[in-house]
Amino acid sequence: MRNSKEYAERLLADIKREKREVSLMEVCGTHTVAIARSGLRSLVPPNLKLLSGPGCPVCVTAQSDIDAVIELARRPGVILVTFGDMMRVPGSESSLQEEKARGADVRVVYSPSDALEIARQNPERETVFLGIGFETTAPAVALTIEQAAASGLANFSVWSLHKLVGPALDAVFSDESVKVDGLICPGHVSAVTGVKPYEPVVSRYHKPCVITGFETLDILEGIWLLLRQLNQGVAEIEIQYRRIVRPEGNPLAQAAIERVFTATDASWRGLGIIPASGLAIREEYGAWDAQRRFDIPEGKERIIKGCRCGDVLRGVITPYECPLFGQACTPVKPVGPCMVSQEGACAAYYRYGRSHRL
Amino acid sequence: MRNSKEYAERLLADIKREKREVSLMEVCGTHTVAIARSGLRSLVPPNLKLLSGPGCPVCVTAQSDIDAVIELARRPGVILVTFGDMMRVPGSESSLQEEKARGADVRVVYSPSDALEIARQNPERETVFLGIGFETTAPAVALTIEQAAASGLANFSVWSLHKLVGPALDAVFSDESVKVDGLICPGHVSAVTGVKPYEPVVSRYHKPCVITGFETLDILEGIWLLLRQLNQGVAEIEIQYRRIVRPEGNPLAQAAIERVFTATDASWRGLGIIPASGLAIREEYGAWDAQRRFDIPEGKERIIKGCRCGDVLRGVITPYECPLFGQACTPVKPVGPCMVSQEGACAAYYRYGRSHRL
Amino acid sequence: MCLGVPGRVEEILENDRARVDVSGNSLEISIRLTPEVKVGQYVLIHAGFAMQIVDEAWAKETLGLLEELRQYAQL
Amino acid sequence: MCLGVPGRVEEILENDRARVDVSGNSLEISIRLTPEVKVGQYVLIHAGFAMQIVDEAWAKETLGLLEELRQYAQL
Amino acid sequence: MRTRKILLGHGSGGRMTQELVNSVFKKTWANPYLDQMLDGAILEVGSQRIAMTTDSFVITPLFFPGGDIGKLSVYGTVNDLVACGARPLYVSAGLIIEEGFGVEELEKIAASMSKAALEAGVQLVTGDTKVVEKGKADGIFINTTGIGIIRTEVDYRPDRIKPGDAVIVTGKVGEHGLAVLAQREGLSFSTPVTSDCQPLHRVGELLARYGQEVRCMRDPTRGGVATVLNELAQQSGTGFIVREEDIPLDPVVQGACEMLGLDALYLANEGKMVVVVAKDAAQAIVEDLRQLPESRDSAVIGYVKDEVPGLVLLETELGAHRILNMLESDQLPRIC
Amino acid sequence: MRTRKILLGHGSGGRMTQELVNSVFKKTWANPYLDQMLDGAILEVGSQRIAMTTDSFVITPLFFPGGDIGKLSVYGTVNDLVACGARPLYVSAGLIIEEGFGVEELEKIAASMSKAALEAGVQLVTGDTKVVEKGKADGIFINTTGIGIIRTEVDYRPDRIKPGDAVIVTGKVGEHGLAVLAQREGLSFSTPVTSDCQPLHRVGELLARYGQEVRCMRDPTRGGVATVLNELAQQSGTGFIVREEDIPLDPVVQGACEMLGLDALYLANEGKMVVVVAKDAAQAIVEDLRQLPESRDSAVIGYVKDEVPGLVLLETELGAHRILNMLESDQLPRIC
Ligand code: SF4
Ligand code: SF4
Ligand SMILES: [Mg+2]
Ligand SMILES: [Mg+2]
Ligand SMILES: [Mg+2]
Ligand SMILES: [Mg+2]
Ligand SMILES: [Mg+2]
Ligand SMILES: [Mg+2]
Ligand SMILES: [Mg+2]
Ligand SMILES: [Mg+2]
Ligand SMILES: [Mg+2]
Ligand SMILES: [Mg+2]
C-alpha cells in the first residue's frame, strides 16, 4: 500500500514538527503492543513521550485474586477455563501454568462460549470460567452467564475479575506525580462504552482524548489529533476510530453488563483498591457466581520487592527505569504482572524495544 | 539334588510297570501346569492317561459373569481390581484387558488386601474386587470383606464368583461318559477343606483319591499312590502332601468362608448351572457385595461355536482333540476359557506340550 | 486491553450466531450484541462475540485525515 | 487351582500380619488363618495369606515314600 | 523451596527450551559433537563423515490438514539432515503407543511413514514399538533418528556466516503451526491453511550446487523463523536485519494470527528452510529455488549485519527497527 | 465389527509384538534392511558399514534397584549394537517429558546417561526434548538410537547358526524383569534382586576375537531368554535344545517367580547376551567370558538341533522335552 505508507510518512513528518515536551498515554495494552511492534517509539522525536497506562487487564489483576483462583483450580473436580493471557500471571507462589503442571485441569479457550461447551461435556465436574477484561470483554461474559442460566447449566460458573476503565483513568489523573498531556483512548473498549468514560478526563483534568484504532496509521492519526488539540489549546473527546466507535458505544453491550454485573470495589495490582472499579455478578445470577459457590479464603496482597508495576501502570516511569527489568524480570520468569501479558508494558518493551542500538 | 532325581527315576520306573489302561484326572489347574512344565506326560507310558479336570477357576467362570463384570468396569468411577489371571478371559464381546485399553480402570493385584488399600487411597471412587477361586482363595477374600466391614470402608465391595470343589467333582463323576479311574486331588484347596470334598468320590463313585503336592516328585508320588490303590482294588483318600494338608483342613479358614459366604447355585463354563456350587456374600455383608450394590443386568450365556471346553473340563477329550486348538484358539486370541488361564488345560497343553517330535 | 479483528458475516445462524470470515478463516461467533447485522457486513470480533458493526463509509476512507492534514500542515 | 509357596515367618507384626521370607524375598502377609504360627516356622502362602503351617517333620522327609516304594517294588 | 517442574514452555523450542538444554544437558553431556550447533551431529565413522539427528514427534491431533504424525516424523528428520549439509539416507523409528490406540490408525501412520520415506529418498531401516498403559501417552509418539552422508562440498556451521550475507526463507511462514493450532480444543475456528509438511532433500541438493556460497541453513520448526534467526545470530555472533514486508506470509495466516493474538514468525514450519547465502549469489539462488515446487515462494528477507551481534532486528513498514526475540515460551491464544 | 485396539501385550516383546510388527510394519516398510533379522540394521554409508539401532524406554518406576531409565536407555542401545556385531560409537537421545516432571529428576537422569555413555565408551552426540501435557506421558520416555562400526571379522546373521552349535547365556536370567516388577503398585513384596542393567561392549570385544566361531548373539530384553531363543530358532530355521538345570538362575528370582506365577525365562534382562557359538569353541569362550565381571556367570545352556526346526525345546530335570514358546503376551502376576 504505497499510498498508506506515503500518508504515514506525512503524518510522521508532521508529528516531528512538535518541539515541546509532550507526554501522551496509551491506556490500552493493545496500543502498547502495536506501538512497540511498529517501532513507532523510535521514530517520534525524543520530546514526544508515549507512556503506557493501566489498560492491560492481566497486569492489573491483583496477586491475591490470582492466589484465590489458583486455590480454586486445585480443588478436585474443578476445570478452570481461562484466556491464554492468564496462564503465566504469577500469584504469590505459583501460576495457573504451574498448577496445570502439578495436575490441575486448566484449559485455555478463545471465547467464553467455549467454556460453556466444556461444562456441557463434563456434567460430573465443575467448570469455572475466569472472567477478566474491561468493558470489551465483560458483555461477552455477561451473555455467557445468561445463557448458562437460560439453559439451567448447573455446573458452570464465572469467577469475575472484570474491571472498568473510567475509575482507572481517574486513579491515574488524580495522581499529582503523573504528567500526562493527552490520552490515546482504547478503541475497542470505546466500541462498547462510547465516549462516556473520558468525559471526566476532559471536564475535570482538561486533557485531550482521542479514541484510536490499532493499525499503525490509526495510531499516527491519533497522535496527530492529540497534538493538534494541544496546539489549539483545547481538550475534547475525538474519535479517530470512527469505523468502529460510535459516540454512544454499543447500548446492547452496556445493557448486558448492567443486567448481569454490578460495580464493586476492586483491587488493582500496583494501584490498590479503587472504589466501584470492578464488576461483581449480581445476586440474581448468584448460582453462576464462582465467588459465591466456592468457599475460597481471601488471599493476601504481598508486596513484590523491587517491582515498580504500579509506577509503570500510572506512567510515572517507563519499564526501562525499573531496576529488575530484563534482568530478574523477563517474560519467562516475570516478577511483576506487567511482564506477563503480551500487552503488559514491560513485556512489550522487552519483546520489541530492548535495543535502540540501530 | 542327585538323591531326589534318583528317587524320581525309581518312581517313574515303577509307574511304567503299569500295563493296564488307566486314566487319572488332575482336578487342579496348577497340577495341569506342573505336569505340562515337567514334561511328565511324555514320560509316563501311553496307557496311563493324565486328564485335566474342572479345577481352573478362570476356565470355569461363565462368560455371562465376565460380561457382567465388564459392564461394571465400564461404570464411571469404578476401579475394578482383579488377579492377573482374569485379565484376558473373554466375555461375549470383550475382556477386562480390552476394557482397560478402552479406558476402564482395571488393576491387577497379588492379594485382596491390596484391593483394600486401593479403596482407601481412592475415597471418592468405588473399588470393586473380583473374587474368583475355590476354597483356597475364598477365606482370604472373606477376611478382606470382614476387614472392610470392621473399618467401615464404604467404597469397597466384592463381586464374588467363588466356586466349590465338591460339586464340580460330582458333576464330573456323575457323567457317564467320563472315564476316570482315580483323582489327583488339589493340594492347596485341601489345605483348607481337608479330605471332606473327596468323601463322595470314594464312597459313591469308588475312585481312589490322593491329595497331592505340586513338585514333580509330589506328583510322581501321587500317581504312584493312585496306581497302588488301583492295584490293591481299594478306593481311599490318601494324603501325599502331608507337609501341608491335615485331614481336617484349616478350620479357621473354613469358618471364615462360613461367616461371610453362603452356598449358591452357580454357572460353570462348559458344565452349566451346578446347584450349591458357588459362594454368595451373606445378607449381613450386603453393603460389601458388589452384586447387591450395583445394578448390573444379568448377562446371557452364549454358546461359543466349536469350543469344547466343557468336554475338556470333564476329561472327555484332551485339548488336542478340540478342532480349534492351536489354530483359531491360542493364548493370545483365546476362543474358550481353557486357553486363557495359564493353568487352563488348553493353555498348558499349548504352552508346554504342543510337540512330541522329540 | 482487547484484541479485535474485523470479520465479514457470511451466514446468519440460529440462536443469534453467525459464521464470519476473517481473512479467509471461518469462525462461528455470537451476534447477540449486533442483532441487526446483515450478511456481507463486517463486524468487530472480540472473544467470539461481535462487538460492533463496522461502518463501511469510514472503513473505506483509509486516508481519513488526509485532507485535514494538508490543511493543518499549511498552517 | 491355586498357586502357593512356602515362606519362613521372620517377624510377627501388628494386626495378625507377619513378614515372611520366600527364598530371599520379603513379603508381608496376613496370618489370621494361622494365628498360632511362630517366628522361624514356614507357612504356605496364597494370595497374601498364610493358609497353613508347614509340618516340618513331613517337609524334611523329602524322600517320603522311599521305604514304601521299596516294599511295593518288591511285590 | 519449591521444586522446579518441567512446564510446557520447556518444550516450546524457544528460550525456555534452550535454557533447559543448556542447564541440564550441555554441562553433563559435554562433548565436541554437542557443540557443533547444528540440527544434528557430524560424526566420523571410520573413514566416513556422517550426520546424525533425532527428533520425537508428539503432535495433537495425529492427523491434521496437510499431514499426519507419520509423514511429519520422516520429513522432520530428513530436513534436519539437509540442514546439516547431509544427503539423507537412513531413518530409524521408535514408536510409543498408548494402550487402546486403533490398529487401523497405526496402519495409516505406518503407511504414511513409508510413503514419506519413498518421497524423501530415505529408507526406514530399523524400528521399535513400545506400548504404555492407557492414559500414559497421547495416542502415539514417534521418534525418528536419521543419518546421512555429509556432502564434502559444503560446510554449514553457523560461524561461516559473514556480514553482508543475505537471508533467504524458502516459502510462506507459519502454516504448519496455524493448521495444527486450528485443530485445538477450545479454538473453534476453521482455516483453509494446511501444514507445509514436506521434505527438503531436493532443496538441499540444489543449495549444495552453490557450495560454500551457501553459509548455513536451519529449518524453522518449533519456535518458528524468529527463533531460528536468533539461534543463528547467537551461534554466529553476527546480527540479522529482517524486513517485515519481505517475509512471505499468507494473508489467511496473518488474519488468524491477528484474531488469536499470535505472531506468525513464531509459528512452526515443517517444510521450510532459512538459508544464509553470500550476498552476490542470493538472487540466483532464490530464482533457482523458485523452480522447485517446495520452495516456489522463496524470498530474500534480510541480511547479516555485524554491528548488532547476536541480535535479530525487524525493520518495520515505517523503517523503524525493533528487536525480534526468540520465542520465550509457548504462544497461547489470547484476547488482550 | 469391533475396531482392533492396541493392547499392552503388543508391547511385551513376545508373539503379539511380533505379529503387530509383521502385520503393520513389515509389509508397508518393506526393504532389505528390515529383513536382516538383527537387533538393528547394517547399513552401507559410502565406503563404511555401520550398524544402527533404536529403542524407546518407557519404564516404571524411573529409578529402580540397580539402575534408572537413563542408564538403561544408553546400555540398551549399546547392547543392541554389540548384538549386531558393531563397536558402539555414537548415541542420540530423544526425551519426551511430562509437564510437571521434576527438573531435579531430569538432571539425575541426564547425569546417569552421561555416566553410562562414559562407561560404555560411546558419546551422546545429539538430542531432542519434547514436553507433553500433564497426563499425556508417564514422567519421561527416552528414545536412544545408536550407531557403531561393524567389525569386519564378524557376521552375526542368524542364518549362520549350524546344527551342533552351543548356546551360551552370559549370566543369571530374569533379574531386571523381577527387580522392576517388585516396584509395581499392587505387588507389595520386596526383593534383594537388582537389575542387571550393564553394558556389554567388552563382551562384544571378547567375542569378536573368536571371529566366525561366534555365530550369532541377541540380548534377551523384553520377552526374556525364551523369546530370544524362539526368534533365533525361527530366523535360523534350526531348533534349540536347552537344559533347564543349566540355565543360570538366582534362587531368589526363582522363589519370587513361584510366588507370583511367573516364568523367569520370560523376564527381561538388561545386561545379558544369548550367544550361539561353534561347539568346539564353546568351553573356551565360556571360560573367557567368566573372566569379565559382567559375564562371570556365563554357561552353556544348550545346543542347536536341526531336527526341530523353528522350535525351542526345554529338557526338564526328568529328561523330558517340552516346548519353550515365545512369550505370548505380558506376564501378569496370578494366583492360580
Ligand atoms: S520490569 Fe518486572 S518488576 Fe519491573 S515493573 Fe515491570 S513487571 Fe514489575
Ligand atoms: S482349544 Fe480353545 S476352543 Fe478348544 S476347548 Fe480349548 S479353549 Fe475351547
Ligand atoms: Mg533433530
Ligand atoms: Mg526437526
Ligand atoms: Mg526394540
Ligand atoms: Mg489420552
Ligand atoms: Mg531443525
Ligand atoms: Mg533396538
Ligand atoms: Mg534393546
Ligand atoms: Mg529437536
Ligand atoms: Mg502420569
Ligand atoms: Mg535387543
Side-chain angles (χ1 to χ4, degrees), chain B residues 37 93 98 351 354 358, chain F residues 2 313 316 322 325 329:
Chain B
R37 284 197 60 158
E93 292 199 326
E98 286 177 57
R351 264 181 238 280
R354 254 192 316 156
L358 231 167
Chain F
R2 288 152 61 209
L313 296 184
T316 68
R322 65 165 171 95
N325 278 299
S329 171

Side-chain angles (χ1 to χ4, degrees), chain B residues 21 73 77 80 90 92 97 153 174 179 186 190 208 224 233 313 331 343-344:
Chain B
E21 292 284 327
L80 192 95
S92 59
Q97 174 181 254
L153 195 63
S174 62
K179 301 271 168 274
S190 309
W224 188 89
L313 290 172
E343 59 163 26

Side-chain angles (χ1 to χ4, degrees), chain A residues 156-180:
Chain A
F156 176 82
S157 58
V158 170
W159 187 282
S160 171
L161 297 176
H162 290 289
K163 300 211 164 31
L164 299 169
V165 143
L169 292 178
D170 196 59
V172 170
F173 285 100
S174 62
D175 181 338
E176 296 284 302
S177 62
V178 178
K179 301 272 171 273
V180 172

Side-chain angles (χ1 to χ4, degrees), chain F residues 241-255:
Chain F
I241 310 287
V242 173
R243 284 177 304 269
E244 194 163 28
E245 49 190 352
D246 290 346
I247 299 170
L249 176 60
D250 186 329
V252 181
V253 173
Q254 191 175 11

